[in-house]
Coordinates of all heavy atoms in Angstrom, one line a residue:
M10 N 108.0 45.2 67.7 CA 108.4 44.2 66.7 C 109.8 44.4 66.2 O 110.2 45.6 66.0 CB 107.4 44.4 65.5 CG 107.6 43.5 64.3 SD 106.3 43.5 63.1 CE 104.9 42.9 64.1
S11 N 110.5 43.3 66.0 CA 111.9 43.5 65.6 C 112.0 43.8 64.1 O 111.1 43.6 63.3 CB 112.7 42.2 65.9 OG 112.3 41.2 64.9
E12 N 113.2 44.3 63.7 CA 113.4 44.6 62.3 C 113.3 43.3 61.5 O 112.8 43.3 60.4 CB 114.7 45.3 62.1 CG 114.9 45.8 60.7 CD 116.2 46.5 60.5 OE1 116.4 47.5 61.2 OE2 116.9 46.2 59.5
A13 N 113.8 42.2 62.1 CA 113.8 40.9 61.3 C 112.3 40.5 61.1 O 112.0 40.0 60.0 CB 114.5 39.8 62.1
D14 N 111.4 40.7 62.0 CA 110.0 40.4 61.9 C 109.4 41.3 60.7 O 108.6 40.8 60.0 CB 109.2 40.7 63.1 CG 109.5 39.6 64.2 OD1 110.0 38.5 63.8 OD2 109.3 39.8 65.4
L15 N 109.8 42.5 60.7 CA 109.3 43.4 59.6 C 109.8 42.9 58.3 O 109.0 42.8 57.3 CB 109.8 44.8 59.9 CG 109.0 45.6 60.9 CD1 109.7 47.0 61.1 CD2 107.6 45.8 60.5
W16 N 111.0 42.5 58.2 CA 111.5 42.0 56.9 C 110.7 40.7 56.5 O 110.3 40.6 55.4 CB 113.0 41.7 57.0 CG 113.9 42.9 56.9 CD1 114.7 43.3 57.8 CD2 114.1 43.7 55.7 NE1 115.4 44.4 57.4 CE2 115.1 44.7 56.1 CE3 113.6 43.7 54.4 CZ2 115.5 45.7 55.2 CZ3 114.0 44.7 53.5 CH2 114.9 45.7 53.9
D17 N 110.5 39.9 57.5 CA 109.7 38.7 57.2 C 108.3 38.9 56.7 O 107.7 38.1 56.1 CB 109.7 37.8 58.4 CG 111.0 37.1 58.7 OD1 111.9 37.1 57.8 OD2 111.2 36.6 59.8
G18 N 107.8 40.1 57.1 CA 106.4 40.5 56.8 C 106.2 41.0 55.4 O 105.1 41.1 54.9
L19 N 107.3 41.2 54.6 CA 107.1 41.7 53.3 C 106.5 40.6 52.4 O 106.8 39.4 52.6 CB 108.5 42.0 52.7 CG 109.2 43.3 53.1 CD1 110.6 43.4 52.5 CD2 108.3 44.5 52.7
A20 N 105.7 41.0 51.5 CA 104.9 40.0 50.6 C 105.9 39.4 49.6 O 105.6 38.2 49.2 CB 103.8 40.7 49.9
V21 N 107.0 40.1 49.3 CA 107.9 39.5 48.4 C 109.3 39.7 49.0 O 109.5 40.6 49.7 CB 107.9 40.2 47.0 CG1 106.6 39.7 46.2 CG2 108.0 41.7 47.1
P22 N 110.3 38.9 48.6 CA 111.7 39.0 49.1 C 112.2 40.4 48.7 O 112.0 40.8 47.5 CB 112.4 37.9 48.5 CG 111.4 36.9 47.9 CD 110.2 37.7 47.7
P23 N 113.0 41.1 49.5 CA 113.5 42.4 49.2 C 114.7 42.4 48.3 O 115.0 43.4 47.7 CB 113.8 43.0 50.6 CG 114.1 41.8 51.4 CD 113.3 40.7 50.9
G24 N 115.4 41.3 48.2 CA 116.6 41.2 47.5 C 117.7 42.1 48.1 O 117.9 42.1 49.3
L25 N 118.4 42.9 47.3 CA 119.5 43.7 47.8 C 119.2 44.6 48.9 O 120.0 44.8 49.8 CB 120.0 44.6 46.6 CG 121.2 44.1 45.8 CD1 121.6 45.3 44.8 CD2 122.4 43.7 46.6
C26 N 118.0 45.1 48.9 CA 117.6 46.1 50.0 C 117.8 45.5 51.4 O 118.1 46.3 52.3 CB 116.2 46.6 49.8 SG 115.9 47.3 48.2
R27 N 117.7 44.2 51.5 CA 117.8 43.6 52.8 C 119.2 43.9 53.4 O 119.3 43.9 54.7 CB 117.6 42.1 52.7 CG 117.8 41.3 53.9 CD 116.6 41.6 54.9 NE 116.7 40.9 56.1 CZ 117.4 41.2 57.2 NH1 118.1 42.3 57.2 NH2 117.4 40.5 58.3
W28 N 120.2 44.1 52.6 CA 121.5 44.2 53.1 C 122.1 45.7 52.9 O 123.2 45.9 53.1 CB 122.5 43.2 52.4 CG 121.8 41.9 52.4 CD1 121.3 41.2 51.3 CD2 121.5 41.1 53.6 NE1 120.8 40.0 51.7 CE2 120.9 39.9 53.1 CE3 121.8 41.2 54.9 CZ2 120.4 38.9 54.0 CZ3 121.3 40.2 55.8 CH2 120.7 39.1 55.3
C29 N 121.2 46.5 52.6 CA 121.6 47.9 52.2 C 121.3 48.8 53.5 O 120.5 48.5 54.3 CB 120.7 48.4 51.1 SG 121.1 50.1 50.5
A30 N 122.0 50.0 53.4 CA 121.9 50.9 54.5 C 120.7 51.8 54.4 O 120.4 52.6 55.3 CB 123.2 51.8 54.6
H31 N 120.0 51.8 53.3 CA 119.0 52.8 53.0 C 117.5 52.4 53.1 O 116.6 53.3 52.9 CB 119.2 53.4 51.6 CG 120.6 54.0 51.5 ND1 121.1 55.0 52.3 CD2 121.7 53.6 50.8 CE1 122.3 55.3 52.0 NE2 122.7 54.5 51.1
P32 N 117.1 51.2 53.4 CA 115.7 50.9 53.5 C 115.0 51.4 54.8 O 115.7 51.5 55.8 CB 115.6 49.4 53.4 CG 116.9 48.9 54.0 CD 117.9 50.0 53.7
S33 N 113.7 51.7 54.7 CA 113.0 52.0 55.9 C 111.7 51.1 55.8 O 111.0 51.2 54.8 CB 112.6 53.4 55.9 OG 111.7 53.7 57.0
L34 N 111.4 50.3 56.8 CA 110.3 49.4 56.8 C 109.2 50.0 57.7 O 109.4 50.5 58.8 CB 110.7 48.1 57.4 CG 111.7 47.3 56.5 CD1 112.2 46.1 57.3 CD2 110.9 46.7 55.3
N35 N 108.0 49.8 57.2 CA 106.8 50.2 58.0 C 105.7 49.2 57.8 O 105.6 48.6 56.8 CB 106.3 51.6 57.5 CG 107.1 52.7 58.0 OD1 107.1 53.0 59.2 ND2 107.8 53.4 57.1
R36 N 104.9 49.1 58.9 CA 103.8 48.2 58.8 C 102.5 49.0 59.1 O 102.5 49.7 60.1 CB 103.9 47.0 59.9 CG 102.7 46.1 59.8 CD 103.0 44.8 60.5 NE 104.0 44.0 59.8 CZ 104.4 42.8 60.2 NH1 103.8 42.2 61.2 NH2 105.4 42.2 59.5
T37 N 101.5 48.9 58.3 CA 100.3 49.6 58.5 C 99.5 48.9 59.6 O 99.7 47.8 59.9 CB 99.5 49.7 57.2 OG1 99.0 48.3 56.9 CG2 100.3 50.1 56.0
R38 N 98.5 49.6 60.0 CA 97.6 49.0 61.1 C 96.9 47.9 60.5 O 96.3 47.1 61.3 CB 96.7 50.0 61.7 CG 95.8 50.6 60.8 CD 95.1 51.9 61.3 NE 94.6 52.5 60.1 CZ 93.5 53.2 60.0 NH1 92.9 53.4 61.0 NH2 93.1 53.7 58.9
H39 N 96.8 47.7 59.2 CA 96.2 46.6 58.6 C 97.1 45.4 58.4 O 96.8 44.3 57.9 CB 95.6 46.9 57.2 CG 94.6 48.0 57.3 ND1 93.4 47.9 58.0 CD2 94.6 49.3 56.8 CE1 92.7 49.0 58.0 NE2 93.4 49.9 57.2
G40 N 98.3 45.6 58.9 CA 99.3 44.5 58.9 C 100.1 44.3 57.6 O 100.7 43.3 57.4
V41 N 100.0 45.3 56.7 CA 100.7 45.3 55.5 C 102.1 45.9 55.7 O 102.2 47.1 56.2 CB 100.0 46.0 54.3 CG1 100.8 46.0 53.0 CG2 98.6 45.3 54.1
T42 N 103.1 45.2 55.3 CA 104.5 45.7 55.5 C 105.0 46.3 54.2 O 104.8 45.6 53.1 CB 105.4 44.6 56.0 OG1 104.9 44.1 57.2 CG2 106.8 45.2 56.3
Y43 N 105.6 47.4 54.2 CA 106.1 47.9 52.9 C 107.5 48.6 53.2 O 107.8 49.0 54.3 CB 105.2 48.9 52.2 CG 104.8 50.2 53.0 CD1 105.6 51.3 52.8 CD2 103.8 50.1 54.0 CE1 105.3 52.5 53.5 CE2 103.5 51.3 54.7 CZ 104.2 52.4 54.5 OH 104.0 53.5 55.2
M44 N 108.3 48.7 52.2 CA 109.6 49.2 52.3 C 109.8 50.4 51.4 O 109.5 50.4 50.2 CB 110.6 48.1 51.8 CG 112.0 48.3 52.2 SD 113.2 47.7 51.0 CE 113.1 49.0 49.8
R45 N 110.4 51.4 52.0 CA 110.7 52.7 51.3 C 112.2 52.8 51.2 O 112.9 52.4 52.1 CB 110.1 53.8 52.1 CG 110.4 55.2 51.5 CD 109.5 56.2 52.3 NE 109.8 56.3 53.7 CZ 110.8 57.1 54.2 NH1 111.5 57.9 53.4 NH2 111.0 57.1 55.5
C46 N 112.7 53.4 50.1 CA 114.1 53.6 50.0 C 114.4 55.1 50.4 O 114.0 56.0 49.8 CB 114.6 53.4 48.5 SG 116.3 53.9 48.3
T47 N 115.1 55.2 51.6 CA 115.3 56.6 52.1 C 116.3 57.3 51.2 O 116.2 58.6 51.2 CB 115.8 56.5 53.5 OG1 117.1 55.8 53.5 CG2 114.9 55.8 54.5
R48 N 117.1 56.6 50.5 CA 118.1 57.3 49.7 C 117.4 58.0 48.5 O 117.9 59.0 48.0 CB 119.1 56.3 49.1 CG 120.2 56.9 48.3 CD 121.2 55.9 47.8 NE 122.1 56.5 46.9 CZ 123.5 56.5 46.9 NH1 124.1 55.9 47.9 NH2 124.2 57.1 46.0
S49 N 116.2 57.6 48.2 CA 115.5 58.3 47.1 C 115.1 59.7 47.4 O 114.8 60.5 46.5 CB 114.2 57.5 46.8 OG 113.3 57.6 47.8
S50 N 115.2 60.1 48.7 CA 114.8 61.5 49.1 C 115.9 62.5 48.6 O 115.6 63.6 48.4 CB 114.7 61.6 50.6 OG 115.9 61.4 51.2
W51 N 117.1 62.0 48.3 CA 118.1 62.9 47.7 C 118.7 62.4 46.5 O 119.4 63.1 45.8 CB 119.1 63.2 48.8 CG 119.8 62.0 49.4 CD1 119.4 61.4 50.6 CD2 121.0 61.4 48.9 NE1 120.3 60.3 50.8 CE2 121.2 60.3 49.8 CE3 121.8 61.5 47.8 CZ2 122.3 59.4 49.7 CZ3 122.9 60.7 47.7 CH2 123.1 59.6 48.6
D52 N 118.6 61.1 46.2 CA 119.1 60.5 45.0 C 118.0 60.3 44.0 O 117.2 59.3 44.1 CB 119.9 59.2 45.3 CG 120.7 58.7 44.1 OD1 120.3 59.0 43.0 OD2 121.6 57.9 44.4
E53 N 117.9 61.2 43.0 CA 116.7 61.1 42.1 C 116.8 59.9 41.1 O 115.8 59.7 40.4 CB 116.7 62.4 41.3 CG 117.9 62.6 40.4 CD 117.9 64.0 39.8 OE1 117.2 64.9 40.3 OE2 118.6 64.2 38.8
R54 N 117.9 59.1 41.1 CA 117.9 57.9 40.3 C 117.0 56.8 40.9 O 116.7 55.8 40.2 CB 119.3 57.4 40.2 CG 120.3 58.4 39.5 CD 121.7 57.9 39.6 NE 122.2 57.7 41.0 CZ 123.3 57.3 41.4 NH1 124.2 56.9 40.5 NH2 123.6 57.1 42.7
L55 N 116.7 56.9 42.1 CA 116.0 55.8 42.8 C 114.5 56.1 43.1 O 114.2 57.2 43.4 CB 116.7 55.6 44.2 CG 118.2 55.3 44.1 CD1 118.8 55.2 45.4 CD2 118.4 53.9 43.4
P56 N 113.7 55.1 43.0 CA 112.3 55.2 43.3 C 112.1 55.2 44.8 O 112.8 54.6 45.5 CB 111.6 54.0 42.6 CG 112.7 53.0 42.6 CD 114.0 53.7 42.5
R57 N 111.1 55.9 45.2 CA 110.7 55.9 46.6 C 110.3 54.5 47.1 O 110.7 54.1 48.2 CB 109.6 56.9 46.9 CG 109.2 57.2 48.3 CD 108.2 58.3 48.4 NE 107.5 58.4 49.6 CZ 108.0 59.1 50.7 NH1 109.2 59.7 50.6 NH2 107.3 59.1 51.8
Y58 N 109.6 53.8 46.3 CA 109.1 52.5 46.6 C 109.6 51.5 45.5 O 108.9 51.4 44.5 CB 107.6 52.4 46.8 CG 107.1 53.2 47.9 CD1 106.6 54.5 47.8 CD2 107.3 52.7 49.2 CE1 106.1 55.2 48.8 CE2 106.9 53.5 50.3 CZ 106.3 54.7 50.1 OH 105.9 55.5 51.2
P59 N 110.8 51.0 45.7 CA 111.4 50.1 44.6 C 110.6 48.9 44.4 O 110.0 48.3 45.4 CB 112.8 49.8 45.1 CG 112.9 50.3 46.5 CD 111.7 51.1 46.8
G60 N 110.5 48.4 43.2 CA 109.9 47.1 42.9 C 110.8 46.0 43.5 O 112.0 45.9 43.2
L61 N 110.2 45.2 44.3 CA 111.0 44.1 44.9 C 110.8 42.8 44.2 O 109.7 42.5 43.7 CB 110.5 43.9 46.4 CG 110.7 45.2 47.3 CD1 110.2 44.9 48.7 CD2 112.1 45.8 47.3
P62 N 111.7 41.9 44.2 CA 113.1 42.1 44.8 C 114.0 42.9 43.9 O 113.9 42.8 42.7 CB 113.6 40.6 44.9 CG 112.9 39.9 43.8 CD 111.6 40.5 43.7
V63 N 114.8 43.8 44.6 CA 115.8 44.6 43.9 C 117.0 43.7 43.7 O 117.6 43.1 44.6 CB 116.2 45.8 44.7 CG1 117.4 46.5 44.1 CG2 115.0 46.8 44.7
V64 N 117.4 43.5 42.4 CA 118.5 42.6 42.1 C 119.8 43.4 41.7 O 120.9 42.9 41.7 CB 118.2 41.6 41.0 CG1 117.2 40.6 41.5 CG2 117.7 42.3 39.7
E65 N 119.6 44.7 41.4 CA 120.7 45.6 41.0 C 120.3 47.0 41.4 O 119.2 47.4 41.1 CB 120.8 45.4 39.5 CG 122.1 46.0 38.9 CD 122.2 45.6 37.4 OE1 121.3 46.0 36.7 OE2 123.2 44.9 37.1
C66 N 121.2 47.7 42.0 CA 120.9 49.1 42.4 C 122.1 50.0 42.4 O 123.1 49.6 43.1 CB 120.2 49.0 43.8 SG 119.7 50.7 44.3
V67 N 122.0 51.1 41.8 CA 123.2 52.1 41.7 C 123.4 52.7 43.1 O 124.5 53.2 43.4 CB 123.0 53.2 40.7 CG1 123.0 52.6 39.3 CG2 121.7 53.9 40.9
G68 N 122.4 52.6 44.0 CA 122.5 53.3 45.3 C 122.9 52.4 46.4 O 123.1 52.8 47.5
F69 N 123.0 51.1 46.1 CA 123.3 50.1 47.2 C 124.6 50.5 48.0 O 125.6 50.7 47.4 CB 123.4 48.7 46.6 CG 123.8 47.7 47.7 CD1 122.8 47.2 48.5 CD2 125.1 47.3 47.8 CE1 123.2 46.2 49.5 CE2 125.5 46.4 48.8 CZ 124.5 45.8 49.6
E70 N 124.4 50.5 49.3 CA 125.6 50.5 50.2 C 125.4 49.6 51.3 O 124.3 49.6 51.9 CB 125.7 52.0 50.7 CG 126.2 53.0 49.7 CD 126.3 54.4 50.3 OE1 125.3 55.0 50.7 OE2 127.5 54.8 50.4
Q71 N 126.4 48.7 51.6 CA 126.2 47.7 52.6 C 125.9 48.3 53.9 O 126.5 49.3 54.4 CB 127.6 47.0 52.7 CG 127.6 45.8 53.7 CD 127.1 44.5 53.1 OE1 127.4 44.2 51.9 NE2 126.3 43.8 53.8
A72 N 124.9 47.8 54.6 CA 124.5 48.3 55.9 C 125.5 47.9 56.9 O 126.2 46.9 56.8 CB 123.2 47.6 56.3
G73 N 125.7 48.8 57.9 CA 126.6 48.5 59.0 C 128.1 48.6 58.6 O 128.9 48.2 59.4
G74 N 128.4 49.1 57.4 CA 129.8 49.1 57.0 C 130.5 50.4 57.3 O 130.0 51.3 58.0
Ligands
SF4_120 S1 119.6 52.2 47.7 FE1 118.8 50.6 46.4 S2 119.4 48.7 47.5 FE2 119.4 50.4 48.9 S3 117.4 50.5 49.9 FE3 117.4 51.9 48.1 S4 116.6 50.7 46.4 FE4 117.2 49.2 48.0

């Protein structure tokens, strides 16, 4: 499954996380897609599972930059 398909599988739009370098997407065997913020593992300001859509984030960094 492509990353774009995983993004499309989220129940709500991800907002900023879609364009950030730090999200990790997973789909359970029940077909539920969820997004984890990998930056939260070392940046204590961020939640492991941010409430979506994220509209403002101190940890945002443009993906692929
Ligand atoms: S750092 Fe912020 S914008 Fe980036 S994935 Fe985490 S919560 Fe989303």
Side-chain angles (χ1 to χ4, degrees):
M10 178 171 296
S11 74
E12 188 176 306
D14 286 340
L15 282 173
W16 282 114
D17 287 345
L19 285 173
V21 289
L25 263 188
C26 302
R27 178 69 179 86
W28 314 110
C29 181
H31 302 297
S33 173
L34 291 166
N35 280 295
R36 181 165 294 185
T37 69
R38 62 194 163 147
H39 300 298
V41 177
T42 305
Y43 62 94
M44 197 213 80
R45 178 169 61 88
C46 175
T47 61
R48 185 174 171 129
S49 69
S50 64
W51 55 267
D52 188 337
E53 64 191 20
R54 298 173 301 177
L55 302 172
R57 187 171 165 86
Y58 295 100
L61 303 181
V63 168
V64 294
E65 193 169 62
C66 181
V67 292
F69 175 80
E70 290 181 290
Q71 183 84 42

